[in-house]
Amino acid sequence: MPSRYYTLVAVILVFIASFLLACVARFQVNWATYLLMVVSGVLSLVGLRDITQTKQAIRRNYPLLAHFRFFFEYIRPEIRQYFIESENEAYPFSRASRSLVYQRAKKDSDKRPFGTQLDVYEAGYEWMNHSISPTVVPTSDFRITIGEQTAKPYSASVFNVSAMSFGALSANAIRALNLGAKMGGFAHDTGEGSISRYHREHGGDLIWELGSGYFGCRTADGKFDAVRFADQAQDPQVKMVELKLSQGAKPGHGGVLPGPKVTPEIAETRGVEVGVDCVSPAKHSVFSTPIEMLEFIAKMRELSGGKPAGMKLAIGHPWEFFAIAKAMVKTGITPDFIVVDGSEGGTGAAPVEFTDHVGVPLREGLMLVHNTLVGVGLRERIKVGASGKIITAFDIAKTMAMGADWCNSARGFMFALGCIQAQSCHTGTCPTGVTTQDALRQRALVVPSKAERVHEFHHSTLHALSELIAAAGLMHPQDIKPEHIIRRISSTEVASLAGLYKFLRPGELLDNTAEHKVFAYYWGKAQAESFAMV
């Protein structure tokens, strides 16, 4: 029996003992025995209710003990200086965002009095200017078409579930995310762990991410298996296929799932052996040059039956992405979409140095990709997605203002599932059942209830986005431009994103007239035939 149940068991035993004592004495006992029996009986009922209720995963996993957490959470404003300020001090962003997600996922009001809690005169503060003539936006179901040139283009929401694999997340978490995506009409990225049986139960739209381990379509020696890929990719539930080059949390770093954690379910999903280390290499084996990579993406599109095929990457050396762009121009092969993953993102465990100091943050990475595609005249053919700590409607607005066509969120949807950031994702002891493979722990995550919260978080966030763009006098998030977002530079100076960032003109890289320092220096050093500099 897990130790977290010891308190409830002890209380039940106390109740039984006191009741039996009273029975033996024909209830001729002192008041203390009666008090003990009543208190332990009430606590036993509360604990049993905790285990059987379906609304709160913490109470199901920690009967009785969870109420201490809720008590301190309730009186938090009064004791903040003693208990709360030291809790997770390195993640103030996450704490505030988590509260907002909880409110929206539970349909609680997200309104608050007394104005902003932010310092509007602090450098870095951002806002969106409103119009004197606001619009009326008829719907918040904002969508874009990806892969317009393909046989099976996909009408995607502008806000979707970012890549999180089965294995990293529990079976019930995958079920709830996919059911929520089905209810809300948005997409669920599988992560590189492939498509599990739990992704398929509810039929929500899937984006199949293919990493360097080729999980779900690999040969016995870890190579790419085209036949197995086609079998899965042509399933109607799979709407797009995505080649993962790197991820924001640990770009350039492979992964190993230790053998003891490779359960029969994970082995079935990934196509590996039970109990054997599951290795995800740091780079792909099916290509070694930009041209070969684009040819492989074209092959993925063909094998999938004409579905949109693209890639996801965290930007690193600029000349490497320039090499990919030059390969597009040279071969005429283009991905249907590119997802830019910022280095500040990542919900899985990663080495501290990689988390903090490797990879390009989302804004700079997004600007590099957007400008490059504009500069080579291909921006209209390729849709750009973005991920990296995107949670609120304003996060979506400012990211789309910088060139993204849609946004993905991982931690936002994890919060909607009930994640409390216990920082135990990699230990298997997640208290809410989100990231554990422990069957007893993950039963606390009740799929229908959490799926509704996933759906409601998505719906409420897009509703908030519709109110933002209406206030700005716009009709669709794609109408948001850099001039709509303002950033404070100092206590006396502000500037729009249009004034802070250099935007290239269409075709500017093709005629070698780009004045932007990064492009002027590195563009000429990139080559379509190699990722290395000339």
Side-chain angles (χ1 to χ4, degrees), residues 157-161 186 390-391 396 407 409 413 457-458 461-462:
S157 170
V158 299
F159 190 45
N160 301 288
V161 182
F186 52 98
I390 296 173
I391 295 179
I396 298 173
C407 296
S409 177
F413 286 101
F457 166 60
H458 177 269
T461 301
L462 288 191

Side-chain angles (χ1 to χ4, degrees), residues 98-113:
R98 191 171 71 231
S99 296
L100 178 61
V101 173
Y102 288 170
Q103 290 170 329
R104 288 181 171 168
K106 297 178 182 180
K107 300 184 181 180
D108 292 341
S109 174
D110 59 359
K111 308 296 189 295
R112 66 185 182 200

Side-chain angles (χ1 to χ4, degrees), residues 488-503:
R488 180 168 294 284
I489 309 303
S490 69
S491 61
T492 58
E493 183 181 10
V494 302
S496 71
L497 296 186
L500 289 173
Y501 290 91
K502 171 68 175 178
F503 291 86

Side-chain angles (χ1 to χ4, degrees), residues 282-293:
K283 65 178 183 178
H284 284 265
S285 60
V286 292
F287 60 83
S288 59
T289 70
I291 291 177
E292 289 176 354
M293 187 200 75

Side-chain angles (χ1 to χ4, degrees), residues 2-28:
S3 59
R4 61 185 183 276
Y5 293 143
Y6 287 174
T7 302
L8 175 58
V9 172
V11 168
I12 293 174
L13 290 176
V14 169
F15 170 72
I16 294 173
S18 59
F19 180 75
L20 291 176
L21 178 62
C23 289
V24 169
R26 297 179 181 275
F27 292 94
Q28 300 299 314

Side-chain angles (χ1 to χ4, degrees), residues 227-306:
V227 175
R228 294 186 66 186
F229 175 83
D231 287 342
Q232 294 221 62
Q234 290 181 23
D235 187 295
Q237 189 180 352
V238 176
K239 302 302 181 182
M240 303 199 299
V241 288
E242 174 182 274
L243 179 67
K244 173 191 168 184
L245 302 181
S246 53
Q247 66 186 80
K250 47 182 178 181
H253 192 283
V256 177
L257 188 64
K261 292 187 176 182
V262 182
T263 64
E265 290 176 316
I266 292 176
E268 173 194 0
T269 299
R270 300 193 178 196
V272 298
E273 293 184 45
V274 177
V276 177
D277 288 352
C278 180
V279 179
S280 179
K283 65 178 183 178
H284 284 265
S285 60
V286 292
F287 60 83
S288 59
T289 70
I291 291 177
E292 289 176 354
M293 187 200 75
L294 292 176
E295 290 172 343
F296 183 69
I297 291 176
K299 183 178 181 180
M300 291 172 60
R301 184 188 297 123
E302 178 185 356
L303 292 172
S304 71

